[in-house]
Amino acid sequence: MSLKHAILVLLDEEPSTGYDLMRKFKGSVGYFWNAKHQQVYLQLKKLNEDGLIHLAIQAQSGKPDKKIYSLSAPGKQALCNWLSTPIEPSKTNDAFLVKLYGGHLSSKEELLAELARHRATHTKTLDYLLGLEQSYRQLPAHQKDKYQYPYLTLRKGIIGEHAWLEWADEAKKEIKK
Amino acid sequence: MSLKHAILVLLDEEPSTGYDLMRKFKGSVGYFWNAKHQQVYLQLKKLNEDGLIHLAIQAQSGKPDKKIYSLSAPGKQALCNWLSTPIEPSKTNDAFLVKLYGGHLSSKEELLAELARHRATHTKTLDYLLGLEQSYRQLPAHQKDKYQYPYLTLRKGIIGEHAWLEWADEAKKEIKK
DNA sequence: GATCTCATGTAAATTGTTACATGATTTG
DNA sequence: CAAATCATGTAACAATTTACATGAGATC
């Protein structure tokens, strides 16, 4: 679907290896896009075959060759076409809420334990995103301009995680009640 | 993955047809689970073959027979097992944020137009969820207890949509700037 | 007369996950 | 010396989407 476009957007920002992209999916853009490495390497292969990205091989000793991909002219065109095509708001599938929905079949202890576990990962994600925000704020003005749009998506991540935690507090009280 | 469990949870609440389930996925539980009808009918078939749900056929004139599914004992067991197994926090893939991330390749007008479009659907969803909340609040006490957990997930939907709109206001200002 | 709701499916294509596979370098 | 990080992939399987398919009744 749009893993393809997520990769193109990231490569437009800077040439990267599959591994680089993976680090982004696990880190700085993980709050809005996720993928497994197998999927990424496969997609890069396809994008290269389709001529949407270029490949430069950089030999390394003791490690597999580094394969650095970058956006090609047709790739940029394809990306721009996609960007100017309206998309539907994304749908959420959240298994944790499915579990909560059927909460009467669990014990309160189990529910609270799982809520706490999830809370911990969301707190960690929020802290990480706040760190990224700090880095952004310390950037010189022209760099801030450059990253204006990525920063906007970062704000979405931060606001979203805040909301999650706000809800979690409410949910905790309500379950204990 | 857990469409299966989403269906089991909904059938635990009340026996339903595939069509009934679809209405829920498009409506009251759509903010945390989505599926296409083809997927639902397929899954119901499998769940029935595996003995996790029962099937009762109700003839109708002029329409296909209504196929009413309900949770079986092994189904309830399977559901309880799943409920007591920890799951990972869900990952989000949001194509709209991918588009925003590459916003410098679009025009401000296009970005604002798409933001407004998405804003409209989120506003609509929020209004719908607030309506559901009103219905819940007017329930007699024992009914409120029964729907305590579904209500908690509803709160997640409401808080999440609020957060989306809050972010959208910020984003709008920032894009215009 | 067109569109929406009711009500159900099959088949093909695409996408994503899990399992399997390798191997050097760095850090604790 | 164990674990994490770097760095890449194939193959099998599961899940999801898109396209195709039908047809009555209700509403505008």
Side-chain angles (χ1 to χ4, degrees), chain B residues 2 15 17 31 34 39 52 56 62 68 70 73 92 123 127 129 168 174-175:
Chain B
S2 12
T17 65
Y31 58 94
N34 290 272
Q39 217 183 325
L52 301 182
I68 301 164
S70 54
T92 313
T123 302
D127 286 345
L129 297 179
E174 185 65 23
I175 295 170

PDB file of all heavy atoms in Angstrom, chain B residues 2 15 17 31 34 39 52 56 62 68 70 73 92 123 127 129 168 174-175:
ATOM      1  N   SER B   2      -6.236 -10.629  14.996  1.00  0.00           N
ATOM      2  CA  SER B   2      -7.254 -10.634  16.036  1.00  0.00           C
ATOM      3  C   SER B   2      -8.616 -10.163  15.561  1.00  0.00           C
ATOM      4  O   SER B   2      -9.460  -9.864  16.371  1.00  0.00           O
ATOM      5  CB  SER B   2      -6.823  -9.880  17.295  1.00  0.00           C
ATOM      6  OG  SER B   2      -5.699  -9.135  17.112  1.00  0.00           O
ATOM      7  N   PRO B  15     -25.545 -12.506  20.025  1.00  0.00           N
ATOM      8  CA  PRO B  15     -25.523 -13.241  18.759  1.00  0.00           C
ATOM      9  C   PRO B  15     -25.776 -12.270  17.612  1.00  0.00           C
ATOM     10  O   PRO B  15     -26.599 -11.361  17.754  1.00  0.00           O
ATOM     11  CB  PRO B  15     -26.685 -14.222  18.907  1.00  0.00           C
ATOM     12  CG  PRO B  15     -26.850 -14.411  20.378  1.00  0.00           C
ATOM     13  CD  PRO B  15     -26.526 -13.069  20.968  1.00  0.00           C
ATOM     14  N   THR B  17     -25.408 -11.504  13.033  1.00  0.00           N
ATOM     15  CA  THR B  17     -25.113 -11.925  11.669  1.00  0.00           C
ATOM     16  C   THR B  17     -23.835 -11.208  11.231  1.00  0.00           C
ATOM     17  O   THR B  17     -23.380 -10.276  11.904  1.00  0.00           O
ATOM     18  CB  THR B  17     -26.240 -11.505  10.707  1.00  0.00           C
ATOM     19  OG1 THR B  17     -26.274 -10.065  10.661  1.00  0.00           O
ATOM     20  CG2 THR B  17     -27.587 -12.024  11.175  1.00  0.00           C
ATOM     21  N   TYR B  31     -13.811   2.895  15.882  1.00  0.00           N
ATOM     22  CA  TYR B  31     -12.642   3.677  16.297  1.00  0.00           C
ATOM     23  C   TYR B  31     -11.567   2.787  16.876  1.00  0.00           C
ATOM     24  O   TYR B  31     -10.485   3.264  17.187  1.00  0.00           O
ATOM     25  CB  TYR B  31     -13.037   4.766  17.298  1.00  0.00           C
ATOM     26  CG  TYR B  31     -13.695   4.227  18.533  1.00  0.00           C
ATOM     27  CD1 TYR B  31     -12.945   3.951  19.659  1.00  0.00           C
ATOM     28  CD2 TYR B  31     -15.053   3.968  18.541  1.00  0.00           C
ATOM     29  CE1 TYR B  31     -13.555   3.414  20.788  1.00  0.00           C
ATOM     30  CE2 TYR B  31     -15.657   3.430  19.655  1.00  0.00           C
ATOM     31  CZ  TYR B  31     -14.904   3.162  20.773  1.00  0.00           C
ATOM     32  OH  TYR B  31     -15.499   2.614  21.877  1.00  0.00           O
ATOM     33  N   ASN B  34     -11.600  -2.298  12.557  1.00  0.00           N
ATOM     34  CA  ASN B  34     -12.192  -2.174  11.233  1.00  0.00           C
ATOM     35  C   ASN B  34     -11.979  -3.444  10.434  1.00  0.00           C
ATOM     36  O   ASN B  34     -10.957  -4.106  10.573  1.00  0.00           O
ATOM     37  CB  ASN B  34     -11.549  -1.020  10.477  1.00  0.00           C
ATOM     38  CG  ASN B  34     -11.932   0.313  11.062  1.00  0.00           C
ATOM     39  OD1 ASN B  34     -12.940   0.895  10.696  1.00  0.00           O
ATOM     40  ND2 ASN B  34     -11.126   0.781  12.019  1.00  0.00           N
ATOM     41  N   GLN B  39     -13.975 -10.053   4.614  1.00  0.00           N
ATOM     42  CA  GLN B  39     -13.105 -10.622   5.633  1.00  0.00           C
ATOM     43  C   GLN B  39     -13.946 -11.212   6.772  1.00  0.00           C
ATOM     44  O   GLN B  39     -13.661 -12.299   7.273  1.00  0.00           O
ATOM     45  CB  GLN B  39     -12.256  -9.481   6.176  1.00  0.00           C
ATOM     46  CG  GLN B  39     -10.843  -9.826   6.519  1.00  0.00           C
ATOM     47  CD  GLN B  39     -10.151  -8.616   7.119  1.00  0.00           C
ATOM     48  OE1 GLN B  39     -10.422  -7.481   6.726  1.00  0.00           O
ATOM     49  NE2 GLN B  39      -9.283  -8.862   8.060  1.00  0.00           N
ATOM     50  N   LEU B  52     -15.863 -22.745  17.052  1.00  0.00           N
ATOM     51  CA  LEU B  52     -15.825 -21.686  18.068  1.00  0.00           C
ATOM     52  C   LEU B  52     -17.114 -20.877  18.120  1.00  0.00           C
ATOM     53  O   LEU B  52     -17.374 -20.181  19.101  1.00  0.00           O
ATOM     54  CB  LEU B  52     -14.622 -20.760  17.821  1.00  0.00           C
ATOM     55  CG  LEU B  52     -13.249 -21.443  17.848  1.00  0.00           C
ATOM     56  CD1 LEU B  52     -12.134 -20.435  17.634  1.00  0.00           C
ATOM     57  CD2 LEU B  52     -13.038 -22.195  19.166  1.00  0.00           C
ATOM     58  N   ALA B  56     -27.140 -20.405  13.485  1.00  0.00           N
ATOM     59  CA  ALA B  56     -28.574 -20.642  13.387  1.00  0.00           C
ATOM     60  C   ALA B  56     -29.086 -19.915  12.158  1.00  0.00           C
ATOM     61  O   ALA B  56     -28.805 -18.733  11.973  1.00  0.00           O
ATOM     62  CB  ALA B  56     -29.277 -20.132  14.642  1.00  0.00           C
ATOM     63  N   GLY B  62     -37.464 -12.976   0.121  1.00  0.00           N
ATOM     64  CA  GLY B  62     -36.912 -11.927  -0.752  1.00  0.00           C
ATOM     65  C   GLY B  62     -35.481 -11.544  -0.459  1.00  0.00           C
ATOM     66  O   GLY B  62     -34.871 -10.774  -1.194  1.00  0.00           O
ATOM     67  N   ILE B  68     -27.342 -16.335  11.776  1.00  0.00           N
ATOM     68  CA  ILE B  68     -27.060 -15.776  13.094  1.00  0.00           C
ATOM     69  C   ILE B  68     -26.025 -16.621  13.829  1.00  0.00           C
ATOM     70  O   ILE B  68     -26.235 -17.802  14.083  1.00  0.00           O
ATOM     71  CB  ILE B  68     -28.354 -15.666  13.932  1.00  0.00           C
ATOM     72  CG1 ILE B  68     -29.361 -14.779  13.187  1.00  0.00           C
ATOM     73  CG2 ILE B  68     -28.047 -15.095  15.311  1.00  0.00           C
ATOM     74  CD1 ILE B  68     -30.778 -14.892  13.677  1.00  0.00           C
ATOM     75  N   SER B  70     -23.441 -17.323  17.124  1.00  0.00           N
ATOM     76  CA  SER B  70     -23.289 -17.059  18.558  1.00  0.00           C
ATOM     77  C   SER B  70     -22.078 -17.813  19.086  1.00  0.00           C
ATOM     78  O   SER B  70     -21.629 -18.790  18.493  1.00  0.00           O
ATOM     79  CB  SER B  70     -24.560 -17.483  19.303  1.00  0.00           C
ATOM     80  OG  SER B  70     -24.863 -18.832  18.994  1.00  0.00           O
ATOM     81  N   ALA B  73     -19.216 -22.844  23.580  1.00  0.00           N
ATOM     82  CA  ALA B  73     -18.400 -23.028  24.783  1.00  0.00           C
ATOM     83  C   ALA B  73     -16.902 -23.021  24.458  1.00  0.00           C
ATOM     84  O   ALA B  73     -16.135 -22.297  25.099  1.00  0.00           O
ATOM     85  CB  ALA B  73     -18.807 -24.311  25.507  1.00  0.00           C
ATOM     86  N   THR B  92       0.717   1.922  14.601  1.00  0.00           N
ATOM     87  CA  THR B  92      -0.094   2.768  13.734  1.00  0.00           C
ATOM     88  C   THR B  92       0.586   2.940  12.380  1.00  0.00           C
ATOM     89  O   THR B  92       1.777   3.226  12.333  1.00  0.00           O
ATOM     90  CB  THR B  92      -0.224   4.178  14.347  1.00  0.00           C
ATOM     91  OG1 THR B  92      -0.549   4.050  15.717  1.00  0.00           O
ATOM     92  CG2 THR B  92      -1.270   4.988  13.614  1.00  0.00           C
ATOM     93  N   THR B 123     -14.350  15.093  12.986  1.00  0.00           N
ATOM     94  CA  THR B 123     -15.410  15.816  13.707  1.00  0.00           C
ATOM     95  C   THR B 123     -16.692  14.980  13.718  1.00  0.00           C
ATOM     96  O   THR B 123     -17.362  14.848  14.748  1.00  0.00           O
ATOM     97  CB  THR B 123     -15.697  17.166  13.019  1.00  0.00           C
ATOM     98  OG1 THR B 123     -14.487  17.921  12.985  1.00  0.00           O
ATOM     99  CG2 THR B 123     -16.749  17.955  13.768  1.00  0.00           C
ATOM    100  N   ASP B 127     -18.596  13.512  16.981  1.00  0.00           N
ATOM    101  CA  ASP B 127     -20.000  13.784  17.266  1.00  0.00           C
ATOM    102  C   ASP B 127     -20.768  12.487  17.490  1.00  0.00           C
ATOM    103  O   ASP B 127     -21.584  12.371  18.409  1.00  0.00           O
ATOM    104  CB  ASP B 127     -20.644  14.556  16.107  1.00  0.00           C
ATOM    105  CG  ASP B 127     -20.175  16.005  16.085  1.00  0.00           C
ATOM    106  OD1 ASP B 127     -19.597  16.463  17.103  1.00  0.00           O
ATOM    107  OD2 ASP B 127     -20.375  16.684  15.063  1.00  0.00           O
ATOM    108  N   LEU B 129     -19.542   9.621  18.454  1.00  0.00           N
ATOM    109  CA  LEU B 129     -19.121   8.993  19.715  1.00  0.00           C
ATOM    110  C   LEU B 129     -19.727   9.716  20.916  1.00  0.00           C
ATOM    111  O   LEU B 129     -20.133   9.091  21.901  1.00  0.00           O
ATOM    112  CB  LEU B 129     -17.596   8.970  19.820  1.00  0.00           C
ATOM    113  CG  LEU B 129     -16.858   8.140  18.758  1.00  0.00           C
ATOM    114  CD1 LEU B 129     -15.351   8.228  18.968  1.00  0.00           C
ATOM    115  CD2 LEU B 129     -17.309   6.687  18.775  1.00  0.00           C
ATOM    116  N   ALA B 168      -4.946  19.094  14.837  1.00  0.00           N
ATOM    117  CA  ALA B 168      -5.283  19.655  13.527  1.00  0.00           C
ATOM    118  C   ALA B 168      -5.287  21.184  13.566  1.00  0.00           C
ATOM    119  O   ALA B 168      -4.846  21.842  12.621  1.00  0.00           O
ATOM    120  CB  ALA B 168      -6.640  19.126  13.056  1.00  0.00           C
ATOM    121  N   GLU B 174       0.300  26.227  11.770  1.00  0.00           N
ATOM    122  CA  GLU B 174       1.704  26.048  11.427  1.00  0.00           C
ATOM    123  C   GLU B 174       1.907  25.978   9.903  1.00  0.00           C
ATOM    124  O   GLU B 174       2.920  26.471   9.381  1.00  0.00           O
ATOM    125  CB  GLU B 174       2.215  24.772  12.096  1.00  0.00           C
ATOM    126  CG  GLU B 174       3.686  24.494  11.940  1.00  0.00           C
ATOM    127  CD  GLU B 174       4.590  25.525  12.610  1.00  0.00           C
ATOM    128  OE1 GLU B 174       4.125  26.203  13.550  1.00  0.00           O
ATOM    129  OE2 GLU B 174       5.748  25.640  12.171  1.00  0.00           O
ATOM    130  N   ILE B 175       0.969  25.379   9.200  1.00  0.00           N
ATOM    131  CA  ILE B 175       1.093  25.298   7.730  1.00  0.00           C
ATOM    132  C   ILE B 175       0.891  26.683   7.114  1.00  0.00           C
ATOM    133  O   ILE B 175       1.611  27.082   6.208  1.00  0.00           O
ATOM    134  CB  ILE B 175       0.064  24.295   7.126  1.00  0.00           C
ATOM    135  CG1 ILE B 175       0.367  22.874   7.598  1.00  0.00           C
ATOM    136  CG2 ILE B 175       0.086  24.354   5.602  1.00  0.00           C
ATOM    137  CD1 ILE B 175      -0.713  21.861   7.263  1.00  0.00           C
TER     138      ILE B 175
END
